[in-house]
Amino acid sequence: MKTVCLYFEIHQNIHLKRYRFFDIGTDHYYYDDYENERSITETAEKSYIPALHTLIEMAERYGDFFKCAISLSGCAIEQLENHAPQVIELLQTLNETGCVEFLAEPYSHGFSSLKDQDYFKSEVRHLCDKVGELFGQKPKIFRNSCLVYDDEIGELVAGMGFKGMLAEGAKHILGWKSPHFVYNCSRNPNLKLLLRDYTLSENISYRFNDSSWSEYPLFADTYANWIAALPEEEQVINIFMELCTLGIFQPLSSNILEFFKALPEQLRQRGITFSTPSEICAKIKSAGDLSVEYPTSWADEERDLSPWLGNVMQQEAFNKLYSVSERVRICRNKRLQQDFDYLQASNNLHFMSTKPGSYGGYRGIYDTPYDAFINYMNILGDFITRVNNLFPNVDNEELNSLLTTIKNQEDELEIKDKEIEKLQHMMRHLETLEGEQTVKGTKKKTTVRKTKK
């Protein structure tokens, strides 16, 4: 039986302000508050609020049949808490229906997984704690920023205890294989991979309202027919997109919400179900290893890192930022750590892209990618100075020694945490057995009494 895994991402850009060279050392606040409030408020009103109302309506109407998954970046959560708390409330209402699974992702929506594994782990834990605080769920499935994945990242994520991970069903990786199967990380078979069907996903996210598209207008029954027509053995159809598809990329006037409201019934009529990522990972066996030697993403035709790291400006900014990641991680300065999260966000690098029309071509306040690079590097110059000022008398050798000590302590704590979890599991198992034996003993005594009578 075919099943659809419907996933939505929520991320909000943190807009940087114009920052001149002469601001370095004098101005330590880097953000355009007006633009941040305006953009998140507009996105919430045009997209998140009506979209979430629709998902709640679908959950209430279809009960256990309808399911979906959502992940939020830490940047998005902070923006929503500050400027659009009603979106958080709607997500909590959706959570109460039992139809949604919340996934983990990097708090910053950055690329620490490519550069600093320890920082990556810490920010993923931070996001998981926030999800637990807001929604009472402990994420079991991981989704990396921009769906970035390769074998090394998969091995890292598996080591963190996640059961599955979302990735892009890129042609150059799959070859003759289909994205409609569950695969596993080639370095750790315990991590299952759910691959996005980018054609079906982008038929909604990019082409739905395109009047020049041959399938325009797209109706729910047509879309359901496409899924039903797939070969019988292809059981998992992963449809991943940003939540702002509903209302921003595809305006509400396009009837995008009506399309989604009609889709569950059309799928049900064709014997197709909905499943969360965790349900798929638990129920469906892997079709085999999937080797991904170089990072893939869900952006552009190449499905690689070129929108963010495709030119020397982006690479210079990226390397410069992560040159202080270890120092930021061990410091106790909350303001610096928050700034580091915001500066990691993928859109900062994307604004420097020189690819024609890359990823929509939006550049924020910048006229050119060079303008974006200069502004970002000015901010980075001030930020790195602030970080280094926290360690004025510590040379690199001493810092490395300190980091090694901290790393060893973290590893020991992680091992102890796993041992505690195992012991707790054993205790619960023993308590269950003890309860069963007590019940059996009670039944035997009752039987003996009846026999004596």
Side-chain angles (χ1 to χ4, degrees):
M1 179 182 289
K2 292 184 176 66
T3 191
V4 169
C5 180
L6 184 61
Y7 158 77
F8 297 103
E9 180 218 8
I10 298 177
H11 169 62
Q12 186 65 25
N13 294 344
I14 302 293
H15 296 275
L16 304 177
K17 68 180 182 182
R18 288 284 181 182
Y19 195 89
R20 313 294 179 184
F21 175 79
F22 296 103
D23 293 328
I24 298 173
T26 60
D27 183 1
H28 305 316
Y29 191 77
Y30 312 133
Y31 314 108
D32 186 338
D33 289 338
Y34 171 80
E35 181 59 23
N36 284 323
E37 182 175 358
R38 186 205 64 78
S39 62
I40 188 63
T41 302
E42 180 181 1
T43 303
E45 291 176 353
K46 290 185 176 181
S47 173
Y48 294 160
I49 292 174
L52 289 170
H53 275 302
T54 297
L55 293 177
I56 292 168
E57 180 183 333
M58 292 164 68
E60 292 173 345
R61 179 179 177 184
Y62 294 103
D64 293 339
F65 177 75
F66 175 72
K67 296 170 185 177
C68 65
I70 291 176
S71 75
L72 302 89
S73 69
C75 295
I77 292 174
E78 291 184 18
Q79 291 283 78
L80 291 171
E81 287 179 328
N82 290 333
H83 304 300
Q86 63 271 39
V87 175
I88 299 292
E89 293 170 4
L90 286 171
L91 285 166
Q92 291 170 335
T93 301
L94 181 64
N95 183 47
E96 290 169 3
T97 67
C99 81
V100 62
E101 177 181 8
F102 286 94
L103 312 186
E105 68 168 73
Y107 192 91
S108 66
H109 200 267
F111 300 121
S112 58
S113 59
L114 301 170
K115 200 69 174 177
D116 188 330
Q117 293 188 356
D118 291 327
Y119 196 92
F120 171 74
K121 290 179 181 179
S122 69
E123 66 168 325
V124 172
R125 285 195 294 267
H126 186 191
L127 193 281
C128 289
D129 291 342
K130 193 66 177 178
V131 169
E133 176 189 326
L134 290 173
F135 309 112
Q137 291 193 26
K138 181 180 180 181
K140 300 176 183 177
I141 307 296
F142 183 75
R143 179 262 183 201
N144 205 4
S145 308
C146 307
L147 230 60
V148 169
Y149 176 81
D150 65 15
D151 293 334
E152 187 174 353
I153 294 172
E155 184 179 28
L156 176 61
V157 170
M160 296 171 68
F162 290 101
K163 303 302 181 185
M165 183 171 175
L166 310 189
E168 178 69 4
K171 279 185 180 179
H172 65 280
I173 296 299
L174 285 170
W176 57 268
K177 297 178 181 177
S178 167
H180 304 140
F181 293 92
V182 175
Y183 297 94
N184 61 262
C185 173
S186 63
R187 296 191 184 181
N188 190 326
N190 294 323
L191 183 77
K192 291 185 175 179
L193 302 176
L194 305 184
L195 305 182
R196 185 177 83 125
D197 183 319
Y198 62 81
T199 301
L200 286 173
S201 299
E202 293 174 3
N203 282 346
I204 297 175
S205 59
Y206 291 158
R207 291 181 279 275
F208 184 82
N209 196 40
D210 182 1
S211 58
S212 65
W213 182 36
S214 61
E215 300 295 337
Y216 176 86
L218 178 61
F219 294 102
D221 57 346
T222 303
Y223 196 80
N225 285 337
W226 290 344
I227 296 174
L230 293 169
E232 188 62 34
E233 64 274 12
E234 298 186 8
Q235 297 184 348
V236 181
I237 296 86
N238 299 308
I239 301 171
F240 306 160
M241 65 191 73
E242 297 180 57
L243 186 62
C244 59
T245 293
L246 285 63
I248 300 294
F249 299 160
Q250 306 302 330
L252 299 182
S253 59
S254 68
N255 292 322
I256 185 70
L257 297 184
E258 285 67 26
F259 170 85
F260 271 95
K261 289 177 185 178
L263 187 58
E265 182 59 34
Q266 294 299 322
L267 292 174
R268 182 159 60 181
Q269 290 177 9
R270 292 158 178 78
I272 302 167
T273 64
F274 285 91
S275 297
T276 63
S278 285
E279 289 175 339
I280 292 172
C281 289
K283 294 177 182 178
I284 299 180
K285 293 182 179 180
S286 170
D289 293 351
L290 184 69
S291 179
V292 184
E293 187 175 351
Y294 300 102
T296 57
S297 78
W298 69 356
D300 291 353
E301 187 66 26
E302 296 86 352
R303 315 286 171 183
D304 60 11
L305 299 179
S306 57
W308 309 280
L309 296 173
N311 63 48
V312 292
M313 293 186 297
Q314 294 168 310
Q315 294 160 16
E316 171 66 17
F318 179 71
N319 291 329
K320 196 76 172 176
L321 175 66
Y322 283 102
S323 68
V324 294
S325 61
E326 291 181 329
R327 296 187 177 216
V328 173
R329 185 170 62 86
I330 65 173
C331 81
R332 292 293 180 265
N333 189 312
K334 297 294 184 183
R335 173 72 182 279
L336 271 177
Q337 290 176 336
Q338 185 183 53
D339 286 340
F340 190 65
D341 284 337
Y342 292 171
L343 292 174
Q344 285 185 84
S346 62
N347 56 286
N348 293 315
L349 293 171
H350 178 249
F351 290 148
M352 304 174 201
S353 175
T354 51
K355 290 181 67 177
S358 173
Y359 207 28
Y362 174 68
R363 295 201 184 279
I365 64 172
Y366 309 112
D367 297 324
T368 68
Y370 312 102
D371 186 24
F373 174 72
I374 292 170
N375 199 72
Y376 186 78
M377 294 304 285
N378 285 341
I379 291 174
L380 209 52
D382 182 77
F383 175 76
I384 290 175
T385 300
R386 289 167 58 207
V387 173
N388 289 334
N389 286 342
L390 290 178
F391 305 89
N393 299 315
V394 180
D395 59 26
N396 288 334
E397 187 174 339
E398 288 178 305
L399 181 63
N400 289 334
S401 176
L402 178 61
L403 289 169
T404 301
T405 302
I406 293 173
K407 178 70 167 60
N408 291 337
Q409 290 175 344
E410 288 178 345
D411 290 343
E412 289 177 9
L413 288 172
E414 190 173 343
I415 291 170
K416 288 179 180 178
D417 286 341
K418 289 180 179 178
E419 289 176 352
I420 290 170
E421 283 186 15
K422 287 181 181 178
L423 289 171
Q424 288 175 338
H425 178 73
M426 289 175 62
M427 288 177 64
R428 286 194 294 268
H429 181 64
L430 290 171
E431 287 172 357
T432 302
L433 290 176
E434 186 178 348
E436 290 175 354
Q437 289 174 354
T438 302
V439 171
K440 288 180 181 178
T442 304
K443 287 182 178 178
K444 284 182 180 179
K445 288 180 181 179
T446 304
T447 304
V448 170
R449 286 174 185 168
K450 287 182 178 179
T451 304
K452 286 181 178 179
K453 288 180 180 179

